[in-house]
């Protein structure tokens, strides 16, 4: 048979060379890549959900711990206040008796000084006993009241006498402390008794 002329195919257009032949088996579409890509996306989504859940658990836990800490602090404070009130009610009579004992020793000391009787041994005994009683009170939470300034403070002081003054700058100025004041922690057992100046306008 005589071969006629044939049109030439643009093999490069179809991805074939002249020496290659088209094999449908080799040209099969690879569907494994999209499937693997979907699996990776699914794993990432699952990890993101798990991380979000874990973050919520941690956040809730921290919030719970903070709330629990505040509740325990408040409970501890209330228990301390209740304990303090019970101790004060129980030991208040003893505290007052010891404070009065200090007053008596101070009165004896001042009387001896006013009479001009100077007895070193007696003074030493009074000072030693007074310091020991103060130490006993201190161990129980009772302390001397120390005024922060020379201005009268009604929260911790009580006026027992007034001295008139014409100077307005001296109004309510403490000029003399008559008796020591004592406090149990933040509770005033006995205010400090003082003499103040009062301005007369």
């Amino acid at each position: 048979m005589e071969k006629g002329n044939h049109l030439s195919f643009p093999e490069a257009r179809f991805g074939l060379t002249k020496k290659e032949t088209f094999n449908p088996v080799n040209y099969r579409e690879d569907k494994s890549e999209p499937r693997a890509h979907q699996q990776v996306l699914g794993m990432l989504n699952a990890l993101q959900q798990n991380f979000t859940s874990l973050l919520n658990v941690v956040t809730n836990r921290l919030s719970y711990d903070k709330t629990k800490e505040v509740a325990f602090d408040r409970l501890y404070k209330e228990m301390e206040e209740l304990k303090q009130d019970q101790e004060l009610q129980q030991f208040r009579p003893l505290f007052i008796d010891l404070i009065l004992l200090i007053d008596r020793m101070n009165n004896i000391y001042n009387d001896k000084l006013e009479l001009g009787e100077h007895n070193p041994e007696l003074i030493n005994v009074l000072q030693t006993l007074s310091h020991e009683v103060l130490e006993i009170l201190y161990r129980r939470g009772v302390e001397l009241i120390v005024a922060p300034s020379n201005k009268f403070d009604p929260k911790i002081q009580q006026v027992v006498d007034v001295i008139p003054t014409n100077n307005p700058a001296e109004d309510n100025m403490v000029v003399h402390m008559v008796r020591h004041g004592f406090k149990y922690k933040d509770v005033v057992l006995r205010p400090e008794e003082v003499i103040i100046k009062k301005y007369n306008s």
Side-chain angles (χ1 to χ4, degrees), residues 83-94:
K83 179 181 177 182
Q84 177 177 325
D85 292 340
Q86 291 177 345
E87 288 180 351
L88 180 58
Q89 294 298 325
Q90 182 179 359
F91 293 107
R92 187 185 187 98
L94 176 61

Side-chain angles (χ1 to χ4, degrees), residues 21-56:
T21 58
F22 179 75
N23 189 346
V25 176
N26 295 332
Y27 195 70
R28 186 178 299 167
E29 183 180 2
D30 188 2
K31 296 182 179 181
S32 61
E33 291 186 1
R35 187 179 301 111
H37 184 65
Q38 292 177 358
Q39 291 177 352
V40 172
L41 290 178
M43 292 176 61
L44 290 176
N45 290 331
L47 287 175
Q48 184 178 7
Q49 292 177 358
N50 291 335
F51 178 76
T52 302
S53 300
L54 180 61
L55 182 61
N56 291 333

Side-chain angles (χ1 to χ4, degrees), residues 2-114:
E2 184 178 358
K3 294 183 179 179
N5 295 329
H6 296 280
L7 293 174
S8 61
F9 290 106
E11 291 94 346
R13 180 180 174 186
F14 297 96
L16 301 174
T17 62
K18 291 182 179 180
K19 295 181 179 181
E20 293 176 345
T21 58
F22 179 75
N23 189 346
V25 176
N26 295 332
Y27 195 70
R28 186 178 299 167
E29 183 180 2
D30 188 2
K31 296 182 179 181
S32 61
E33 291 186 1
R35 187 179 301 111
H37 184 65
Q38 292 177 358
Q39 291 177 352
V40 172
L41 290 178
M43 292 176 61
L44 290 176
N45 290 331
L47 287 175
Q48 184 178 7
Q49 292 177 358
N50 291 335
F51 178 76
T52 302
S53 300
L54 180 61
L55 182 61
N56 291 333
V57 170
V58 172
T59 303
N60 294 334
R61 180 67 182 182
L62 290 176
S63 178
Y64 170 75
D65 290 343
K66 186 64 177 179
T67 304
K68 183 175 66 174
E69 181 181 355
V70 172
F72 273 114
D73 289 341
R74 183 169 62 250
L75 179 60
Y76 178 78
K77 183 179 179 181
E78 292 176 354
M79 290 179 63
E80 283 296 316
E81 292 176 352
L82 180 61
K83 179 181 177 182
Q84 177 177 325
D85 292 340
Q86 291 177 345
E87 288 180 351
L88 180 58
Q89 294 298 325
Q90 182 179 359
F91 293 107
R92 187 185 187 98
L94 176 61
F95 294 157
I96 297 300
D97 288 341
L98 293 175
I99 290 171
L100 292 176
L101 177 59
I102 294 175
D103 290 340
R104 294 190 191 99
M105 289 187 287
N106 285 334
N107 290 336
I108 294 173
Y109 175 75
N110 291 328
D111 291 341
K112 294 297 181 182
L113 291 181
E114 290 178 1

